[in-house]
mmCIF file of all heavy atoms in Angstrom:
data_model
loop_
_atom_site.group_PDB
_atom_site.id
_atom_site.type_symbol
_atom_site.label_atom_id
_atom_site.label_comp_id
_atom_site.label_asym_id
_atom_site.label_seq_id
_atom_site.Cartn_x
_atom_site.Cartn_y
_atom_site.Cartn_z
ATOM 1 N N ARG A 61 3.644 1.439 -1.278
ATOM 2 C CA ARG A 61 4.296 1.509 -2.624
ATOM 3 C C ARG A 61 3.250 2.264 -3.545
ATOM 4 O O ARG A 61 3.581 3.089 -4.391
ATOM 5 C CB ARG A 61 4.544 0.246 -3.135
ATOM 6 C CG ARG A 61 5.312 0.207 -4.339
ATOM 7 C CD ARG A 61 5.620 -1.178 -4.876
ATOM 8 N NE ARG A 61 6.869 -1.662 -4.344
ATOM 9 C CZ ARG A 61 7.511 -2.827 -4.522
ATOM 10 N NH1 ARG A 61 6.914 -3.717 -5.339
ATOM 11 N NH2 ARG A 61 8.615 -3.105 -3.935
ATOM 12 N N ALA A 70 1.679 12.491 -9.396
ATOM 13 C CA ALA A 70 1.113 13.769 -9.073
ATOM 14 C C ALA A 70 2.167 14.777 -9.188
ATOM 15 O O ALA A 70 1.909 15.963 -9.852
ATOM 16 C CB ALA A 70 0.455 13.901 -7.731
ATOM 17 N N ASP A 79 5.846 23.563 -17.073
ATOM 18 C CA ASP A 79 6.954 23.358 -17.978
ATOM 19 C C ASP A 79 7.261 24.746 -18.660
ATOM 20 O O ASP A 79 6.383 25.387 -19.238
ATOM 21 C CB ASP A 79 6.523 22.390 -19.095
ATOM 22 C CG ASP A 79 7.723 22.253 -20.113
ATOM 23 O OD1 ASP A 79 8.851 22.603 -19.867
ATOM 24 O OD2 ASP A 79 7.418 21.573 -21.250
ATOM 25 N N TYR A 146 -22.172 65.367 -78.362
ATOM 26 C CA TYR A 146 -21.908 64.275 -79.483
ATOM 27 C C TYR A 146 -21.229 64.973 -80.629
ATOM 28 O O TYR A 146 -21.828 65.743 -81.283
ATOM 29 C CB TYR A 146 -23.333 63.576 -79.754
ATOM 30 C CG TYR A 146 -23.746 62.741 -78.494
ATOM 31 C CD1 TYR A 146 -24.319 63.311 -77.529
ATOM 32 C CD2 TYR A 146 -23.609 61.411 -78.665
ATOM 33 C CE1 TYR A 146 -24.717 62.574 -76.427
ATOM 34 C CE2 TYR A 146 -24.058 60.621 -77.559
ATOM 35 C CZ TYR A 146 -24.682 61.222 -76.456
ATOM 36 O OH TYR A 146 -25.090 60.334 -75.396
ATOM 37 N N GLN A 177 -33.489 60.106 -63.572
ATOM 38 C CA GLN A 177 -33.213 59.452 -62.276
ATOM 39 C C GLN A 177 -32.951 57.940 -62.432
ATOM 40 O O GLN A 177 -32.402 57.393 -61.506
ATOM 41 C CB GLN A 177 -34.295 59.810 -61.216
ATOM 42 C CG GLN A 177 -35.615 59.028 -61.495
ATOM 43 C CD GLN A 177 -36.672 59.598 -60.535
ATOM 44 O OE1 GLN A 177 -36.381 60.303 -59.638
ATOM 45 N NE2 GLN A 177 -37.975 59.238 -60.795
ATOM 46 N N GLU A 187 -6.202 59.480 -58.576
ATOM 47 C CA GLU A 187 -5.666 60.773 -58.387
ATOM 48 C C GLU A 187 -5.769 61.506 -59.673
ATOM 49 O O GLU A 187 -5.205 61.228 -60.701
ATOM 50 C CB GLU A 187 -4.233 60.455 -58.075
ATOM 51 C CG GLU A 187 -3.465 61.824 -57.636
ATOM 52 C CD GLU A 187 -4.001 62.298 -56.254
ATOM 53 O OE1 GLU A 187 -4.165 61.581 -55.330
ATOM 54 O OE2 GLU A 187 -4.080 63.540 -56.107
#
Side-chain angles (χ1 to χ4, degrees):
R61 191 180 271 182
D79 182 15
Y146 288 75
Q177 65 187 357
E187 191 68 41

